[in-house]
């Protein structure tokens, strides 16, 4: 059994839509694409390098897959991040994509939950999910995510697609690592652990 890991940039109020630029996802009139740019520094670059330093396969939704496929192959394998992403096995979940062109890509068109469970049961490196907001909602509703590597930016956006949207199942998580960048970005890693604990307390 291998881990399925969600790597996500989120605002302080939980929005994950279009962190890298306005063109990523302007759906529903979202006007604040690129909200992470002013906070990016060597600290976050090193964090991403560490989190992608070990072997991994990619599990992506169509939009993120197409953005990645248009960008990373152009950089060539001289770029360390491009080399890792270009050589990784990629599984793209889509009912509309006809033929994935990026090297080492496999299309998942139906029985998505069952197919992802099969991938997790295989031997191999961890499955990393980047971006892919719609796919993440499927993962959350079916309790398929084992770990969350979040970068929480000190901005509030008020609207936009949220990482933990309505329909996510209640789930207990445990913080296993945290650090803060010089610009105030919280890097936090949570693992799935049990159910939500409920109860009551008295205020004295």
């Amino acid at each position: 059994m291998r881990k399925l890991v969600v790597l996500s940039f989120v605002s302080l109020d939980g929005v994950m839509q279009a962190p890298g630029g306005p063109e990523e996802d302007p759906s529903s009139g979202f006007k604040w694409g690129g909200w992470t740019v002013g906070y990016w520094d060597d600290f976050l670059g090193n964090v991403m390098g560490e989190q992608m330093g070990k072997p991994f396969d990619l599990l992506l939704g169509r939009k993120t897959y197409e953005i990645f496929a248009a960008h990373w192959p152009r950089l060539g394998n001289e770029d360390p991040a491009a080399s890792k992403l270009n050589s990784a096995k990629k599984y793209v979940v889509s009912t509309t994509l006809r033929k994935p062109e990026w090297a080492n890509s496999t299309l998942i068109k139906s029985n998505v939950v069952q197919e992802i469970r099969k991938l997790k049961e295989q031997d191999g490196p961890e499955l990393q999910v980047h971006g892919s907001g719609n796919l993440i909602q499927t993962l959350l509703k079916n309790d398929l995510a084992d770990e969350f590597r979040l970068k929480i930016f000190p901005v509030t956006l008020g609207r936009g697609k949220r990482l933990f949207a309505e329909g996510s199942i209640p789930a207990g998580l445990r913080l296993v690592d945290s650090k803060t960048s010089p610009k105030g970005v919280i890097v936090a890693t949570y693992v799935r652990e049990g159910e939500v604990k409920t109860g009551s307390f008295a205020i004295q």
Side-chain angles (χ1 to χ4, degrees), residues 153-201:
F153 288 74
V155 296
T156 57
L157 298 168
R159 59 177 294 188
K161 296 177 181 177
R162 283 175 162 75
L163 174 61
F164 297 101
E166 186 173 350
S168 300
I169 66 167
L173 302 172
R174 176 167 56 93
L175 180 68
V176 295
D177 186 58
S178 67
K179 59 192 78 172
T180 305
S181 81
K183 294 186 177 181
V185 179
I186 299 170
V187 178
T189 300
Y190 295 89
V191 295
R192 178 76 169 88
E193 188 174 80
E195 305 302 318
V196 174
K197 295 179 181 179
T198 61
S200 60
F201 63 93

Side-chain angles (χ1 to χ4, degrees), residues 10-187:
V10 294
S11 68
L12 198 58
D13 56 342
V15 175
M16 64 173 296
Q17 186 169 352
E23 73 288 345
E24 281 185 344
D25 184 3
S27 61
S28 301
F30 189 73
K31 301 177 181 178
W32 300 276
W35 46 269
T36 66
V37 174
Y39 297 94
W40 196 263
D41 56 14
D42 289 341
F43 180 96
L44 289 182
N46 290 334
V47 166
M48 290 302 298
E50 291 172 6
Q51 294 185 350
M52 298 172 64
K54 295 180 180 180
F56 60 86
D57 290 350
L58 287 171
L59 176 65
L60 303 172
R62 179 185 60 81
K63 287 182 180 178
T64 299
Y65 176 86
E66 290 180 338
I67 291 170
F68 278 23
H71 176 71
W72 292 109
R74 289 193 294 106
L75 295 186
N77 291 334
E78 294 76 16
D79 181 277
S83 177
K84 290 181 179 298
L85 291 165
N86 290 332
S87 61
K89 289 183 180 179
K90 305 158 192 77
Y91 300 93
V92 53
V93 176
S94 175
T95 59
T96 58
L97 187 66
R98 292 189 177 181
K99 184 179 179 182
E101 300 290 345
W102 198 6
N104 306 316
S105 293
T106 299
L107 184 60
I108 299 175
K109 298 187 69 172
S110 60
N111 301 316
V112 171
V113 172
Q114 294 91 325
E115 291 301 316
I116 293 174
R117 285 195 175 119
K118 288 179 183 178
L119 287 177
K120 291 185 65 176
E121 290 169 359
Q122 294 174 0
D123 292 331
E126 67 184 23
L127 289 160
Q128 291 192 357
V129 181
H130 297 249
S132 307
N134 292 337
L135 171 61
I136 287 175
Q137 301 316 306
T138 298
L139 300 177
L140 296 177
K141 290 174 183 177
N142 291 278
D143 200 16
L144 290 169
D146 303 300
E147 185 172 309
F148 298 87
R149 298 174 188 165
L150 306 183
K151 292 83 185 170
I152 305 166
F153 288 74
V155 296
T156 57
L157 298 168
R159 59 177 294 188
K161 296 177 181 177
R162 283 175 162 75
L163 174 61
F164 297 101
E166 186 173 350
S168 300
I169 66 167
L173 302 172
R174 176 167 56 93
L175 180 68
V176 295
D177 186 58
S178 67
K179 59 192 78 172
T180 305
S181 81
K183 294 186 177 181
V185 179
I186 299 170
V187 178

